Amino acid sequence: MKKIYKLIYFTEVGRLRCLLIMLMLLSINVMAQNTRNISGRVVDEMNQPMPGVTIRIKGAAGGTSTNTDGDYTISVKPSNVLVFSMMGCISKEVPVGNQTRINITLLPDNQKLKEVVVIGYGTANKKDVTGAVTSIKSEEFNQGVMVNPAQLLQGKVSGLNVTKSGDPNAKPSTILRGPSTLREGAAQEPFYVIDGVPGASIDLLAPSDIENIDILKDASSTAIYGSRAANGVIIVTTKRSKNGQARLAYSGYAAVEKVSRKYDMLSAPELRQYLADNKQVLNAADDDGSDTNWQSLLERTGYSTNHNLSYGGGGQSSDYGASVNYLDNKGILKNTSLKRTIVRAYLNQKFFNDKLKLGLTITNSNSKSTDIYQSTALPNMLFYLPTVSPFNADGSYKENYNRTGSGTRNPLSVVDNNKIDNLNNKTLINGMAQLDILEGLKFTASVSSQRDQNNYSTYLNSQSGLARGVNGQAQKIDALNKSQVLEGYFNYDKSIGKHSLKLLAGYSWQEDRTNDGFGVTTQNFSNDNLGYNNLFLSNPTLLSQIAFNNAPISTLRLISYYGRVQYNYNEKYLFQASLRDDGSSAFGRNNRWGLFPAVSAGWRIIGEEFMKSLPAISDLKLRAGYGVSGNSLGFDAFSSLLIYGTLSGSNKFLNNGNISNAIGPVRNENPNLKWESTATSNIGLDFGLFNNRLTGSVDFYIKQTSDLIYDRYEVSTTQFFLPTITANVGKIRNTGVEFSLNATVIKSDSFKWVSSPNLAHNKNKVETLSDDFYKIAAIQTAQLGGKGQSGNFSQLIQPGYALGTFNLWNYAGKNAAGVSTYINAAGQTIATQPLTTDAKIAGDAQPKLIYGWANSFNYKNWDFNFLVRGVLGNKILNATKASLNNPADAKLQNIPRFTLGESFNDINAYLISDRFLESGSYLRLDNATLGYTIKPKSPAIKAIRLYATANNLFVITKYSGLDPEINIGGLTPGIDNNNYYPKTRTFSFGVSASF
């Protein structure tokens, strides 16, 4: 019986198994029948195919995208709903049902396509902006070897003057709407904000990671940043992933750089012949029969590479991304280079039905720069006699330390035997939380920490002519700078009928701790093998041979309260007002706080009924604004305090048998020291013609800075410890006009030409340097030195004149003997060296006009763009040419070909005078790029672009120096004084690919 039961049991189980298998096969067959591939095409309103459109199944992960022809294929079920989406277009949802092909037309989302600009703690539609703001998108950036993001803007922004030499380690000088301070460095530069982090270092960013840059020019725009915005604000927005987008991108280039121009110095045979013609002979020690071209020995072909890899993705509730950038830029001078790696990552996540958004961004920049002692190498490269070889017979560097004159150091030895290395590591961590409290009310909190670790090391070896007889000299300076920023602010947006209101209220706290480190110099090493890597191995014989770096630690705090209101009525009448209250520990106890107000208004004339009768005008807006911003950049925490230290030149003394540094007051206290304040009035007109085929803007501004800070005002030592004090006294005024256009000249199905010229005129004038207590008539600057001229100044700062005004001897030509003559203060012509009191004002370094003209052409898959830029009306003092022009000393230093036309008897030829004040105007074809985009018929590859770029193709100028793009920053702009790192001509070849 049991056997029968078992047989029945196994038989039934077997049947059941068979039935289950049949059901599974049937369900799989049904599922296979329900799931099928459908295809289609996506086009725009002009029936043109749209590549890169995302197609996904609603409520499911994954999806596909259209290829270059707008075609797609996706596996779906009849119950699915397809979502078609693309940035700037209205998304469309389509049920699949029984359809086998779904063709879609996507229309532009006019609301989303409105151009948005970042205005500080928020955004605004460009049509609603009432201040002077310029936006530059990534596709408009300059191309080529860019070591600093400021170079991306050269020639692109009216009123922004960016200058850069060929030095890979030098930062560009950036001046917006003219100089407005008597201080240098950061005090003259615009204030940078990166992804909402105020004061973040621009060096943290690779150009490939930047999405767009907004430049806030006038105080009605910048005053929301208060005490740091007097020189304008540059807001940088980095690239982020879009919703529904997964991306992988690579870009890279290789470049070749060559010196664009060299000084035409005499060869050795030419110099010998010149001396023979003038019955002169070189000393035996200065002529070994060689013919050495020192410029060729120090200069080289520079090679650069750059690689940028990024990826990211975004969904309904999160987005993420990361990138890595590597730059290797070898300078065209031997032993100068920059290597830099930048790593960046971010993650944003939404919670509680998207009410709360948390974000974290981490950026790290690690760079290593190598440099030379340029102040010695650059002049000696020109002055050093070509009649000697670089080396002695034993391989050592040939030197003649007994020779006088300007070229007294073997330039190759200066480069090879003196090493400068700088390791810099910057890290920025920024956390953000954004909470939607009520409809239209949002709170944003952000905290950021920036660390800047700098390790500067030098070694002058035992053969160095810069540290003779000390058996090697090493220096190490390690310093850590930290900045922490905490911000919290509310945004409230509300629209009722024709009324639109935006409110902002916030609080900011910042602490900067600088110079946390040490620095020491020591000497006398047993060998050069370790260089600066083990200072313990030095053997100084005297205490004075060990020098410690005098850079005290300081902590500076800034606390701010700010608010802004924006009102829009009927899209026609616009109003904005802001107020910021800043407190800084850097200023005197009587002036720690400062208010910075701003107000502006706009009238969108295009919205008026009467404009309908003028169809050619598609946009017209009038803007006017006034505001006050401050300048607290470049201060340390002790600026207003009585400081004790060791005066320059002070000696050590015996203190109870111990050797001690002499300590005394080094800075007077000023409890009334306060902010520099810059008040700007701005009137602007934005316009568009022919359906915005032609758009542009015109701005007129008056920018007046008062309470200028200068640190050399004379005071009585009966009232103060020291004879000078730091105080607020002077005023500087800048007035100007800016004009920019953007014209779509030609637009067809296959060809497009866009032309964008801009120009700006600025007039700079120092209005006063004195008040009732502090009196000063003028400030002499630019002490250039040179033979017999060590006490001379070549520029002055004086009321009624611009910063960078030249004060020079008045050249009157040559007399019958061929000797240079000058007009003295009494109006007499003299053939001797004039007195310092004989100098006269002779023009200034400020350009009258700055201009740029960008053009881009697109023909099918080809693209071509170029940029022409330049300046007009400025002067450059060619002190390099003056010091080289020394025929009487041709036995001691080389001379340029220019000097062959001078008389050997001219003992005054080298004197710095207005003879060497030249026009600095130039027109430069700055860059030109030709590219071709490949769009493979593969859904995995969006596009591959190949391109070639040439930078600094030619320059048209009357300036006789190496290049007219001389540094325009600082208090001594426009001077070429044996310190110009040659500018390069660059050819680069690159590829960019997106997947």
Side-chain angles (χ1 to χ4, degrees):
M1 191 70 181
K2 289 181 179 179
K3 292 181 179 180
I4 296 173
Y5 176 79
K6 290 180 178 178
L7 178 63
I8 294 172
Y9 172 78
F10 286 114
T11 301
E12 292 301 321
V13 170
R15 290 177 178 175
L16 183 60
R17 287 176 176 173
C18 290
L19 180 61
L20 289 172
I21 292 171
M22 291 178 64
L23 288 173
M24 290 176 64
L25 292 173
L26 181 62
S27 64
I28 292 172
N29 185 49
V30 170
M31 290 176 64
Q33 290 178 354
N34 288 341
T35 302
R36 66 184 188 275
N37 288 334
I38 67 169
S39 59
R41 171 172 288 190
V42 182
V43 296
D44 59 18
E45 74 276 16
M46 302 296 292
N47 204 34
Q48 296 297 310
M50 297 182 65
V53 176
T54 299
I55 303 101
R56 60 182 179 85
I57 298 171
K58 188 175 183 179
T64 186
S65 60
T66 56
N67 61 19
T68 54
D69 297 323
D71 296 327
Y72 72 94
T73 301
I74 190 170
S75 181
V76 298
K77 298 177 183 178
S79 59
N80 290 151
V81 175
L82 290 182
V83 180
F84 298 81
S85 60
M86 189 177 189
M87 190 67 178
C89 294
I90 301 174
S91 298
K92 200 173 262 191
E93 297 184 2
V94 180
V96 174
N98 295 322
Q99 300 181 80
T100 58
R101 184 173 179 84
I102 299 178
N103 295 326
I104 291 295
T105 299
L106 284 186
L107 300 176
D109 187 343
N110 293 325
Q111 188 67 26
K112 289 184 178 180
L113 285 177
K114 292 177 180 177
E115 189 173 354
V116 174
V117 297
V118 182
I119 57 173
Y121 306 106
T123 60
N125 290 325
K126 187 175 181 180
K127 67 180 181 62
D128 298 332
V129 171
T130 55
V133 180
T134 300
S135 296
I136 304 295
K137 294 180 172 55
S138 57
E139 57 266 25
E140 302 173 278
F141 291 162
N142 290 325
Q143 302 293 311
V145 180
M146 304 291 166
V147 298
N148 186 284
Q151 294 175 262
L152 302 172
L153 304 176
Q154 280 185 304
K156 298 287 187 177
V157 180
S158 60
L160 183 67
N161 195 0
V162 181
T163 56
K164 175 83 167 63
S165 70
D167 189 352
N169 299 311
K171 293 183 178 181
S173 174
T174 307
I175 302 292
L176 180 63
R177 289 188 166 183
S180 56
T181 182
L182 300 181
R183 297 175 297 120
E184 301 186 272
Q188 288 194 347
E189 299 281 325
F191 182 62
Y192 288 95
V193 179
I194 300 176
D195 287 334
V197 180
S201 172
I202 192 65
D203 296 326
L204 277 162
L205 295 181
S208 301
D209 286 336
I210 299 175
E211 182 70 34
N212 62 274
I213 300 176
D214 296 289
I215 300 93
L216 314 185
K217 299 180 181 179
D218 66 331
S220 66
S221 303
T222 65
I224 195 65
Y225 288 105
S227 62
R228 295 167 290 179
N231 300 313
V233 178
I234 295 180
I235 301 179
V236 181
T237 303
T238 59
K239 293 179 179 178
R240 303 278 169 158
S241 299
K242 307 299 189 298
N243 185 13
Q245 179 191 70
R247 60 179 178 83
L248 174 65
Y250 166 80
S251 62
Y253 64 75
V256 178
E257 295 186 79
K258 291 184 175 293
V259 177
S260 58
R261 185 176 181 182
K262 295 185 179 184
Y263 280 103
D264 190 8
M265 305 300 295
L266 297 188
S267 66
E270 290 171 332
L271 180 60
R272 293 186 186 103
Q273 185 61 51
Y274 174 77
L275 292 172
D277 291 344
N278 289 279
K279 300 180 176 56
Q280 302 293 319
V281 179
L282 287 162
N283 294 327
D286 294 330
D287 189 359
D288 59 14
S290 298
D291 183 12
T292 305
N293 187 323
W294 296 104
Q295 290 184 85
S296 297
L297 281 179
L298 268 65
E299 295 170 350
R300 64 183 180 184
T301 299
Y303 297 97
S304 300
T305 58
N306 184 280
H307 304 277
N308 195 91
L309 181 66
S310 64
Y311 76 94
Q316 293 293 329
S317 60
S318 66
D319 62 280
Y320 62 90
S323 66
V324 58
N325 178 271
Y326 175 74
L327 169 70
D328 185 358
N329 183 201
K330 292 182 173 58
I332 49 86
L333 286 185
K334 188 179 178 183
N335 293 346
T336 61
S337 65
L338 171 66
K339 292 183 178 181
R340 184 178 63 203
T341 302
I342 298 176
V343 179
R344 176 175 167 268
Y346 67 89
L347 173 64
N348 297 307
Q349 181 69 49
K350 295 179 180 179
F351 300 92
F352 310 121
N353 295 323
D354 297 345
K355 296 292 185 182
L356 175 65
K357 180 181 179 181
L358 300 178
L360 179 67
T361 302
I362 301 175
T363 308
N364 176 261
S365 172
N366 189 71
S367 65
K368 178 182 180 181
S369 62
T370 60
D371 208 345
I372 59 177
Y373 283 87
Q374 295 188 24
S375 60
T376 303
L378 289 174
N380 278 268
M381 179 175 72
L382 306 177
F383 287 108
Y384 208 73
L385 290 171
T387 53
V388 294
S389 73
F391 304 103
N392 294 309
D394 61 0
S396 61
Y397 290 85
K398 178 170 287 190
E399 301 275 13
N400 182 2
Y401 296 125
N402 295 321
R403 186 192 308 138
T404 59
S406 298
T408 60
R409 294 293 184 270
N410 181 331
L412 191 61
S413 173
V414 172
V415 169
D416 290 344
N417 293 321
N418 303 285
K419 185 177 185 181
I420 301 176
D421 287 337
N422 193 38
L423 299 178
N424 181 262
N425 187 279
K426 290 184 175 71
T427 302
L428 176 63
I429 301 175
N430 180 37
M432 178 273 296
Q434 193 173 84
L435 177 64
D436 290 340
I437 303 173
L438 300 170
E439 182 180 356
L441 180 61
K442 182 186 303 180
F443 175 72
T444 303
S446 69
V447 58
S448 64
S449 177
Q450 182 172 283
R451 291 171 57 89
D452 185 352
Q453 179 71 53
N454 202 64
N455 303 114
Y456 177 85
S457 304
T458 69
Y459 187 70
L460 287 65
N461 69 23
S462 57
Q463 295 191 62
S464 170
L466 304 182
R468 296 171 56 197
V470 301
N471 295 320
Q473 179 178 290
Q475 181 185 48
K476 287 189 74 71
I477 301 175
D478 292 347
L480 173 63
N481 301 320
K482 294 190 296 184
S483 178
Q484 295 176 311
V485 181
L486 173 66
E487 297 219 74
Y489 53 92
F490 292 90
N491 288 100
Y492 180 70
D493 296 358
K494 186 68 174 179
S495 295
I496 303 175
K498 296 180 179 180
H499 304 273
S500 177
L501 182 68
K502 291 185 176 183
L503 301 176
L504 166 73
Y507 167 83
S508 175
W509 175 91
Q510 182 170 340
E511 180 180 277
D512 295 338
R513 182 178 171 87
T514 57
N515 293 325
D516 188 354
F518 74 97
V520 63
T521 303
T522 186
Q523 63 186 44
N524 197 10
F525 292 82
S526 58
N527 59 61
D528 296 320
N529 294 337
L530 293 180
Y532 53 71
N533 290 304
N534 192 342
L535 302 188
F536 176 79
L537 297 178
S538 66
N539 297 284
T541 57
L542 299 172
L543 185 62
S544 60
Q545 294 175 356
I546 303 176
F548 291 93
N549 191 45
N550 184 14
I553 297 174
S554 69
T555 300
L556 186 148
R557 293 185 180 91
L558 182 72
I559 296 176
S560 308
Y561 303 89
Y562 51 86
R564 181 176 62 210
V565 57
Q566 296 168 267
Y567 174 70
N568 181 333
Y569 175 71
N570 199 24
E571 299 292 326
K572 290 190 293 185
Y573 308 112
L574 314 170
F575 173 80
Q576 177 178 299
S578 68
L579 181 67
R580 182 165 180 134
D581 192 13
D582 275 345
S584 172
S585 63
F587 294 101
R589 59 179 177 270
N590 298 333
N591 287 298
R592 289 277 168 84
W593 291 87
L595 282 174
F596 300 97
V599 62
S600 59
W603 177 25
R604 296 198 71 243
I605 306 173
I606 191 65
E608 301 292 350
E609 284 294 323
F610 61 81
M611 292 302 298
K612 294 181 179 179
S613 61
L614 301 170
I617 302 176
S618 48
D619 192 18
L620 191 63
K621 179 176 67 176
L622 181 66
R623 298 177 279 105
Y626 172 83
V628 180
S629 54
N631 191 345
S632 65
L633 297 176
F635 280 99
D636 62 44
F638 313 126
S639 298
S640 64
L641 303 179
L642 174 64
I643 301 299
Y644 286 84
T646 301
L647 288 169
S648 177
S650 293
N651 295 319
K652 300 178 184 295
F653 70 98
L654 280 174
N655 181 14
N656 293 327
N658 297 316
I659 298 177
S660 301
N661 287 315
I663 296 177
V666 295
R667 179 185 295 161
N668 283 319
E669 180 182 19
N670 185 355
N672 297 315
L673 189 68
K674 59 183 178 181
W675 324 87
E676 293 181 346
S677 296
T678 298
T680 304
S681 301
N682 193 99
I683 298 176
L685 182 71
D686 301 329
F687 59 88
L689 302 174
F690 315 118
N691 199 24
N692 285 347
R693 286 284 294 269
L694 175 66
T695 60
S697 64
V698 182
D699 281 271
F700 171 76
Y701 62 87
I702 301 173
K703 184 175 78 167
Q704 179 162 301
T705 303
S706 57
D707 298 322
L708 291 176
I709 298 174
Y710 181 59
D711 61 1
R712 303 293 296 174
Y713 280 104
E714 294 182 359
V715 290
S716 171
T717 53
T718 61
Q719 296 177 279
F720 297 90
F721 287 104
L722 300 168
T724 60
I725 194 171
T726 301
N728 306 86
V729 179
K731 293 181 180 180
I732 290 180
R733 184 184 181 94
N734 286 277
T735 56
V737 179
E738 297 170 348
F739 178 71
S740 62
L741 279 178
N742 187 71
T744 304
V745 183
I746 300 175
K747 185 178 181 181
S748 66
D749 291 341
S750 59
F751 181 71
K752 184 179 181 181
W753 173 20
V754 177
S755 185
S756 304
N758 71 82
L759 54 88
H761 162 72
N762 182 77
K763 182 178 181 180
N764 176 268
K765 185 173 74 170
V766 177
E767 294 196 324
T768 181
L769 293 173
S770 303
D771 64 9
D772 293 337
F773 185 78
Y774 301 105
K775 303 292 184 181
I776 189 169
I779 301 171
Q780 292 184 312
T781 60
Q783 192 171 4
L784 306 182
K787 179 181 173 183
Q789 303 172 90
S790 57
N792 291 0
F793 295 88
S794 294
Q795 287 184 339
L796 57 73
I797 301 171
Q798 182 173 308
Y801 298 94
L803 280 177
T805 292
F806 294 100
N807 192 44
L808 302 167
W809 288 327
N810 188 195
Y811 178 71
K814 296 181 182 292
N815 61 18
V819 177
S820 295
T821 62
Y822 305 90
I823 300 175
N824 65 13
Q828 301 168 330
T829 300
I830 58 175
T832 56
Q833 180 169 326
L835 303 175
T836 55
T837 54
D838 292 329
K840 297 179 181 178
I841 289 176
D844 63 76
Q846 301 299 330
K848 303 299 184 293
L849 190 71
I850 307 169
Y851 62 89
W853 181 32
N855 288 269
S856 64
F857 305 85
N858 294 85
Y859 176 70
K860 294 184 177 179
N861 290 356
W862 291 92
D863 62 87
F864 175 69
N865 62 75
F866 69 86
L867 170 69
V868 173
R869 64 178 178 88
V871 300
L872 289 172
N874 61 309
K875 297 292 185 180
I876 296 175
L877 178 57
N878 195 344
T880 302
K881 184 176 181 179
S883 55
L884 286 171
N885 186 43
N886 195 352
D889 279 352
K891 292 189 298 182
L892 305 174
Q893 64 186 53
N894 199 10
I895 56 176
R897 193 167 307 281
F898 162 80
T899 304
L900 294 178
E902 305 285 287
S903 168
F904 186 81
N905 299 319
D906 192 352
I907 58 173
N908 298 328
Y910 65 90
L911 294 178
I912 296 174
S913 69
D914 59 6
R915 178 190 183 189
F916 300 100
L917 190 65
E918 304 182 33
S919 169
S921 302
Y922 69 87
L923 181 150
R924 186 190 309 277
L925 179 53
D926 195 57
N927 61 66
T929 299
L930 177 65
Y932 182 78
T933 301
I934 304 170
K935 297 181 178 180
K937 295 183 181 296
S938 169
I941 303 175
K942 291 183 180 179
I944 299 174
R945 179 173 177 265
L946 307 174
Y947 66 90
T949 297
N951 295 93
N952 189 24
L953 277 82
F954 65 80
V955 58
I956 300 173
T957 182
K958 293 181 179 180
Y959 182 62
S960 62
L962 284 183
D963 195 278
E965 193 170 310
I966 301 297
N967 191 324
I968 45 80
L971 293 184
T972 57
I975 296 179
D976 182 346
N977 187 34
N978 302 306
N979 59 352
Y980 190 76
Y981 190 111
K983 201 166 180 66
T984 64
R985 181 167 292 115
T986 307
F987 300 93
S988 54
F989 305 89
V991 59
S992 58
S994 55
F995 306 94

